[in-house]
Amino acid sequence: MAVTIKDIAKYAGVSVTTVSRALNGYPDVSEETRERIKKIAEQLNYTPNSIARGLVTNKTHTVGLVVSELIKPGAYHPFFLEVLAGIKAGLRKDKYDLILFTVDPESQDVTSYEKLCNDRKVEGAIVEGLKLSDPYIEEIKKTQIPTVMIDIPILTDKVGYVSSDNVQAAFEATSYLIKLGHRNIGFINGHNDAAVSFERLEGYKKALEKNNIPYKEEYVVFDDFTQEGGYNSFKTLVFEHPEITAVFHASDLMAIGSFKAAKDLGMKVPDDISIVGFDDIELASLITPGLTTVRQDTFKMGYNAAKHLLSIIKGEKPQHILIPHKLVIRDSARKI
Amino acid sequence: MAVTIKDIAKYAGVSVTTVSRALNGYPDVSEETRERIKKIAEQLNYTPNSIARGLVTNKTHTVGLVVSELIKPGAYHPFFLEVLAGIKAGLRKDKYDLILFTVDPESQDVTSYEKLCNDRKVEGAIVEGLKLSDPYIEEIKKTQIPTVMIDIPILTDKVGYVSSDNVQAAFEATSYLIKLGHRNIGFINGHNDAAVSFERLEGYKKALEKNNIPYKEEYVVFDDFTQEGGYNSFKTLVFEHPEITAVFHASDLMAIGSFKAAKDLGMKVPDDISIVGFDDIELASLITPGLTTVRQDTFKMGYNAAKHLLSIIKGEKPQHILIPHKLVIRDSARKI
DNA sequence: AATTCTATCCGAAACGTTTTGGATACTTTT
DNA sequence: AAAAGTATCCAAAACGTTTCGGATAGAATT
């Protein structure tokens, strides 16, 4: 059976209290006793029972990562891995563990957000991939559980969020197309159940406005952030508006879908139409021509989400953390 | 403060023992008392404290997922997301939680496998992405912690593993090229710190042998499972052996690297050289021409790893679980 | 010498649950 | 009527740690 603090006490000839105090750095233990206890603990290969410790302190040194629709086939998570890697890097120094919660708003066994967190005794959670209509959204707005959202703008006493500056990024991407001479610029946007869809639309509009180009509602299409979404929307858009010479997309997957649609329609990118994406997933550099796109620093998003969560757990005030983006110019948009 | 079993007992006018027994389905509580207690627990929004419960039962209903080098930039994890999704799906029914452990053999703060698992009191772990030289490998061979390896062939009283039939899959891929008339087939293999590299080599050899084609050691190159690995190896291979008409790869990323190298050398795929990969990552269908490759069912790998781990935790005998693969024929290999 | 202070140790309660061993009132059997 | 059996409840120990409040011996102060 595992070595406990009682065994250490016995071997050292002191009380359990003294062992606990010695190992936890309390000052009211003599140095001689402390070193003796430490040596014995090492010899007996003692590691404190995290369950017992958690019961006393009511802290588990664990946070949750709540992800919506991870298990669902075909779901959109093209940069989840980098976010996850960033989160782990952000937790490492403070030695917090990460529990992965996969939720699905349609699933019959989904529990409330607070029950989910309380059942597992996580000290806080990062939430990713929720749609605006997800019931958790309203719940999180009122929660007392330290929470950091990714890409969902909620800011309360206990909830902060991390995102790229979607407005500015979309503004820059659209401005770049304008700089290349394009004036008939379509925008294939994400579905309107995502906060970033509205923000990227705002940036697209602002860039048109800044350049005295009238905003045409019929140039904007809303669809899923998927290749299918891009494919179908592209066909619709260019069929109805053959005057469009460039299309900005709310995601790279959509842009890639448009690539395929363009090819199927006998159009060449960028000769016949320029295409710009958003995210800079790995695919973006691998397709031919390489996709001009907005790079989001997804590792940094995860890293900052983790650091921010730890600061909220420690009592600091939640805030909106902006992650820098970058327009990556490859070959899928040309000058006209 | 949170509602505890004592509050329920007070409200119900019974002892803590009776509440515990009523909620846990013990038979020595009258139905009338049980229903009354259940109703009160629901009214007070009671949820049992998993920490306290864990201390008594010494069980946490949690398993770990140990991943090597997830945080390391540029590391090879092209299908980790699908494996992860499969693992979560496999754990769902038994309501087990998943803690993610990211380890790195070079990192100074890496702890032993057993300490890692014991510190967090996980009941078992799935291990993915370890190199054969990782110190955990020797430790896991002796561990008493229920463990399931992915793609690493370790089988003990407590450790099982899940993998594709790499030998058979490589045999089929190579056989397919032979069926297309190729007899000078190169093989760009993974580094020799991965178990699958040896297995895939064995399959490649067996296919040659089966067709009376002499195995040429100089036709096989070992490199990292990356695009760079493929790119560099391809250049070396075709430079030294221009008679080669097809190349089989131990991963899709390598195959994609070869695509790029072929292009840079002015060679057309599959006109000048046929290319076959392994994994069927998303990229495989998106490049032009589409990559002929071996599809691994990575969701099923994760799902079966989770189910198997739960069975080992419950006391069943560990075993090697084979996951079906499938040769996916696209356009990157042609008949000669 | 007596009183006060301080360094260094400790007993036991607490955390919230499960489970062991038992109490008691009523029923059944002899 | 007495003895044995059973349904249904409960007290308290246990899990392994932290921490509160205190004991005690020696040092410092008056």
Side-chain angles (χ1 to χ4, degrees), chain A residues 13-15 17-18 28-30 33 55-56:
Chain A
V14 294
S15 71
T17 302
T18 301
D28 57 346
V29 176
S30 75
T33 301
L55 186 57
V56 177

Side-chain angles (χ1 to χ4, degrees), chain B residues 157-190:
Chain B
D157 278 348
K158 288 287 183 181
V159 183
Y161 71 103
V162 160
S163 73
S164 303
D165 188 344
N166 291 294
V167 174
Q168 180 62 21
F171 174 86
E172 287 172 16
T174 311
S175 296
Y176 174 69
L177 285 169
I178 295 168
K179 201 177 78 171
L180 293 178
H182 298 275
R183 299 191 75 80
N184 293 313
I185 304 167
F187 179 34
I188 297 184
N189 200 1

Side-chain angles (χ1 to χ4, degrees), chain B residues 19-68:
Chain B
V19 176
S20 177
R21 295 186 151 255
L23 296 180
N24 285 309
Y26 280 68
D28 58 345
V29 175
S30 75
E31 275 315 301
E32 187 264 329
T33 302
R34 188 193 306 279
E35 287 312 308
R36 200 157 52 76
I37 288 169
K38 275 184 166 177
K39 186 163 289 183
I40 290 167
E42 200 171 311
Q43 279 166 3
L44 298 188
N45 217 20
Y46 167 74
T47 123
N49 185 315
S50 57
I51 302 177
R53 177 174 274 177
L55 186 59
V56 176
T57 61
N58 208 32
K59 289 191 175 300
T60 54
H61 251 66
T62 305
V63 298
L65 171 57
V66 180
V67 184
S68 189

Side-chain angles (χ1 to χ4, degrees), chain B residues 40-242:
Chain B
I40 290 167
E42 200 171 311
Q43 279 166 3
L44 298 188
N45 217 20
Y46 167 74
T47 123
N49 185 315
S50 57
I51 302 177
R53 177 174 274 177
L55 186 59
V56 176
T57 61
N58 208 32
K59 289 191 175 300
T60 54
H61 251 66
T62 305
V63 298
L65 171 57
V66 180
V67 184
S68 189
E69 296 184 344
L70 183 72
I71 296 179
K72 194 175 181 182
Y76 173 79
H77 290 283
F79 47 70
F80 175 77
L81 189 59
E82 285 196 10
V83 170
L84 185 63
I87 291 170
K88 284 299 288 182
L91 295 177
R92 160 166 268 174
K93 201 173 176 185
D94 294 65
K95 296 183 190 294
Y96 266 74
D97 286 317
L98 184 72
I99 291 193
L100 183 69
F101 300 140
T102 47
V103 298
D104 190 320
E106 288 111 26
S107 177
Q108 66 185 345
D109 67 337
V110 75
T111 58
S112 75
Y113 176 70
E114 291 207 337
K115 186 168 175 11
L116 187 72
C117 295
N118 285 335
D119 276 357
R120 277 86 174 169
K121 293 294 176 188
V122 295
E123 297 186 28
I126 296 169
V127 180
E128 193 265 344
L130 286 198
K131 288 176 170 162
L132 293 176
S133 60
D134 193 297
Y136 278 8
I137 297 287
E138 289 310 310
E139 194 186 344
I140 287 170
K141 283 173 180 173
K142 304 168 193 146
T143 192
Q144 287 305 299
I145 296 168
T147 301
V148 171
M149 316 295 287
I150 293 183
D151 269 340
I152 303 153
I154 299 180
L155 198 52
T156 74
D157 278 348
K158 288 287 183 181
V159 183
Y161 71 103
V162 160
S163 73
S164 303
D165 188 344
N166 291 294
V167 174
Q168 180 62 21
F171 174 86
E172 287 172 16
T174 311
S175 296
Y176 174 69
L177 285 169
I178 295 168
K179 201 177 78 171
L180 293 178
H182 298 275
R183 299 191 75 80
N184 293 313
I185 304 167
F187 179 34
I188 297 184
N189 200 1
H191 58 66
N192 57 17
D193 211 353
V196 300
S197 296
F198 297 98
E199 296 171 8
R200 289 170 195 175
L201 178 58
E202 189 185 331
Y204 162 82
K205 281 179 169 178
K206 274 186 166 182
L208 297 178
E209 190 186 333
K210 181 114 185 296
N211 292 269
N212 297 316
I213 300 172
Y215 165 67
K216 292 175 176 171
E217 198 170 299
E218 61 271 26
Y219 276 14
V220 178
V221 184
F222 296 84
D223 218 314
D224 288 336
F225 289 93
T226 58
Q227 290 186 49
E228 289 75 27
Y231 186 94
N232 295 330
S233 294
F234 184 88
K235 284 198 162 189
T236 301
L237 203 56
V238 301
F239 177 79
E240 294 182 0
H241 304 283

Side-chain angles (χ1 to χ4, degrees), chain A residues 79 92 95 106 121-122 203 271 285 323:
Chain A
F79 47 70
R92 159 167 269 172
K95 297 183 190 297
E106 288 112 27
K121 295 292 179 189
V122 294
D271 305 67
S285 64
I323 305 299

